[in-house]
Amino acid sequence: GDNLTTVDLGTGRTALGITAGDSHTCALLDNASVKCWGYNFSGQLGQGVSDTDTRGDESGEMGDSLTAINLGSGRTAKSIVAGGSHTCALLDDNSSKCWGEGEKGQVGQEKTSDDRVPPTLSITIGTVRTATAITAGDAHTCAILDNSSIKCWGLNDSGQLGQGNTFNLGDNANEINPSSKIVDLGAGRTVGGIAAGDAHTCAVLDNASIKCWGGNAFGQLGLGDTNNRGDNSSENSSEMGDNLP
């Protein structure tokens, strides 16, 4: 109750949105800026190319002392999501940027190194495509595109990218952009909402049904078994599209 102190976001600032990763937290502020605090080993707080200092665990680190993240010249944020050790923002021009841990390609910059500040270039998710929503799992990221399709990138060891294999995407050149990387949701199906867990992804479809794929050791896909989905594309066992319950 009144004994629990509110988070100091800075003079006059309030929050429009909030997200939490494994050990860090980020807020979208009323001026469309973003501030993050917590663990920063991989640069998930976006404070500087050589900055891995944790914020919020000592006095004097929050409020006006916590610098808003530089999203690029003139850019502001529409929404934010936190993965395990990375953070992503959908920007005011409908571009997307991620920063923090990048070992599995989850920041979408075609490399495996960390980005400790938002990169100069936004994620290339299609030749003429932009994002309308974004979500982040432990080490993967997914976006709803402006044509109501889905693309995912990053770690794919459990099929969480929905590609019918276990190959990571976003850690090498030109792996996210091709239209062939669109997640197959079934004939005629489009997506209205998306959420990512540790190693699985779920989507609300245009017919108000739900499909989930990726890791399923605890039944998190809701399919009555513990078999992963989206990690196999053999001729007789395709797991995506109309074959995904």
Side-chain angles (χ1 to χ4, degrees):
D2 293 336
N3 294 315
L4 182 60
T5 306
T6 58
V7 176
D8 185 358
L9 299 173
T11 304
R13 294 276 69 87
T14 56
L16 297 177
I18 194 164
T19 186
D22 181 76
S23 298
H24 74 293
T25 311
C26 297
L28 174 63
L29 304 186
D30 59 306
N31 62 354
S33 66
V34 176
K35 286 187 175 183
C36 298
W37 56 93
Y39 192 49
N40 193 35
F41 180 78
S42 300
Q44 54 265 55
L45 306 188
Q47 288 296 306
V49 293
S50 59
D51 191 323
T52 58
D53 293 340
T54 298
R55 301 295 201 285
D57 60 338
E58 296 181 357
S59 62
E61 294 183 333
M62 297 294 292
D64 293 333
S65 297
L66 181 61
T67 304
I69 295 170
N70 182 0
L71 299 171
S73 179
R75 295 277 67 86
T76 57
K78 296 170 64 174
S79 64
I80 53 171
V81 293
S85 297
H86 71 295
T87 310
C88 300
L90 179 63
L91 304 184
D92 60 297
D93 62 352
N94 294 320
S95 64
S96 302
K97 289 185 177 182
C98 299
W99 58 94
E101 185 178 12
E103 181 183 2
K104 306 301 182 181
Q106 60 264 54
V107 296
Q109 291 296 314
E110 302 182 341
K111 60 181 184 178
T112 56
S113 57
D114 297 345
D115 275 312
R116 293 174 179 165
V117 294
T120 302
L121 297 177
S122 58
I123 299 169
T124 303
I125 55 175
T127 305
V128 295
R129 298 270 72 91
T130 57
T132 61
I134 193 166
T135 187
D138 179 58
H140 76 291
T141 310
C142 297
I144 298 179
L145 308 190
D146 57 342
N147 62 354
S148 297
S149 63
I150 296 174
K151 280 190 176 181
C152 299
W153 56 93
L155 182 64
N156 194 35
D157 59 345
S158 299
Q160 57 264 53
L161 304 188
Q163 295 297 307
N165 58 48
T166 55
F167 302 121
N168 297 347
L169 293 177
D171 54 350
N172 289 298
N174 200 37
E175 289 187 333
I176 304 173
N177 183 48
S179 59
S180 60
K181 302 306 179 183
I182 295 292
V183 176
D184 184 0
L185 299 172
R189 295 276 68 89
T190 57
V191 63
I194 192 169
D198 180 9
H200 73 294
T201 310
C202 293
V204 178
L205 306 187
D206 59 298
N207 62 356
S209 65
I210 295 174
K211 287 192 173 185
C212 298
W213 56 94
N216 193 34
F218 304 101
Q220 56 264 53
L221 304 188
L223 299 176
D225 58 42
T226 56
N227 300 322
N228 294 354
R229 301 297 200 284
D231 59 347
N232 193 323
S233 63
S234 64
E235 183 176 357
N236 297 317
S237 60
S238 178
E239 294 175 333
M240 297 299 294
D242 291 331
N243 293 317
L244 181 63

